[in-house]
């Protein structure tokens, strides 16, 4: 009964490169949330997706960031032309369809931009 | 928009003693959920305890209990018989009804002194 999986766990990119972060939700979970944690800060919501749909992207920067959750495969958070300020830990959480259910967190991906 | 405030950036407690972490929140909603998450150095987000706003009874999980004061919008975490393994960042979080994202406080770093 695998939990939420994220890969890679650590990602190093140079400024201007692209970063792709993957999240495989728990089995049976159709809701995925992405959060970002800057150093010494709490987690901040970025985007909420269901299969093939973006439900709420109010926390995601309008430029350079995009997210998807295809019918098959993991959810992807993509950051284009990374800058130093993108260095952070990115967490994915998943939940069941029913309202009120827990969000289970993955181990996070730590992105470092050189 | 909802906000969560943790006014204690750092706390310390002697092993086997009791410590209380504070959390206040702001909302105009009547139905919601409150959570405490633990984040050890591994960065994994671990759910410690949750409270449904409609429940008057305070939640307890072994050595962890909460003092939920709905009118005061206060949700403190009490850790009894503190252990070295309790040392971590603790985040208070709020969630509205439905499949909605979590709103986190900035966290309290708890040290446990042997």
């Amino acid at each position: 009964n695998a939990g939420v999986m994220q890969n890679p766990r650590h990602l190093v990119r140079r400024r201007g490169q692209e970063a792709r972060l993957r999240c495989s939700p728990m089995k049976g979970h159709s809701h995925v949330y992405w959060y970002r944690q800057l150093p010494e800060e709490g987690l901040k919501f970025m985007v909420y997706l269901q299969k093939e749909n973006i439900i709420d992207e109010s926390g995601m920067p309008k430029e350079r960031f995009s997210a998807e959750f295809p019918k098959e495969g993991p959810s992807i958070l993509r950051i284009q032309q990374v800058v130093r300020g993108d260095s952070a830990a990115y967490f994915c959480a998943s939940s069941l369809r029913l309202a009120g259910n827990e969000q289970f967190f993955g181990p996070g991906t730590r992105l470092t931009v050189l | 928009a909802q906000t969560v405030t943790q006014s204690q950036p750092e706390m310390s407690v002697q092993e086997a003693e009791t410590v209380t972490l504070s959390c206040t929140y702001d909302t105009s909603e009547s139905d919601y959920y409150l959570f405490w998450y633990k984040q050890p150095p591994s960065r994994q987000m671990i759910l410690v305890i949750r409270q449904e706003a409609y429940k008057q009874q305070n939640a307890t999980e072994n050595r962890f209990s909460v003092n939920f004061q709905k009118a005061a919008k206060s949700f403190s975490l009490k850790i009894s018989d503190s252990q070295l393994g309790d040392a971590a960042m603790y985040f208070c979080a709020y969630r509205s009804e439905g499949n909605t994202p979590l709103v986190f406080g900035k966290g309290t770093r708890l040290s446990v002194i042997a």
Side-chain angles (χ1 to χ4, degrees), chain A residues 42-107:
Chain A
L43 279 69
K44 292 227 174 356
F45 166 71
M46 298 182 74
V47 61
Y48 162 36
L49 309 104
Q50 294 178 21
K51 286 282 188 182
E52 299 183 279
N53 284 305
I54 296 176
I55 306 302
D56 180 356
E57 56 183 348
S58 60
M60 196 159 66
K62 295 283 186 284
E63 296 179 359
R64 302 189 298 107
F65 286 74
S66 62
E68 63 176 9
F69 188 16
K71 188 176 179 182
E72 301 290 337
S75 176
I76 306 280
L77 180 66
R78 182 182 178 208
I79 312 172
Q80 295 178 290
Q81 298 175 317
V82 296
V83 300
R84 288 223 172 102
D86 297 333
S87 295
Y90 292 83
F91 288 90
C92 163
S94 73
S95 70
L96 289 168
R97 182 179 60 83
L98 295 173
N101 275 284
E102 302 298 340
Q103 291 183 21
F104 293 86
F105 281 84

Side-chain angles (χ1 to χ4, degrees), chain B residues 31-82:
Chain B
D31 292 324
Y32 49 85
Y33 303 87
L34 295 163
F35 305 84
W36 278 98
Y37 281 89
K38 172 184 177 182
Q39 187 179 46
S42 67
R43 288 189 165 261
Q44 177 72 53
M45 294 292 287
I46 301 165
L47 178 64
V48 174
I49 200 164
R50 70 177 268 170
Q51 174 82 43
E52 290 87 349
Y54 65 84
K55 288 186 178 178
Q56 292 187 339
Q57 188 172 5
N58 289 324
T60 63
E61 286 288 340
N62 301 313
R63 297 182 295 108
F64 299 87
S65 62
V66 298
N67 184 4
F68 173 47
Q69 302 286 331
K70 191 172 184 179
K73 296 180 184 174
S74 171
F75 182 62
S76 60
L77 174 69
K78 185 170 86 171
I79 306 174
S80 304
D81 185 26
S82 297

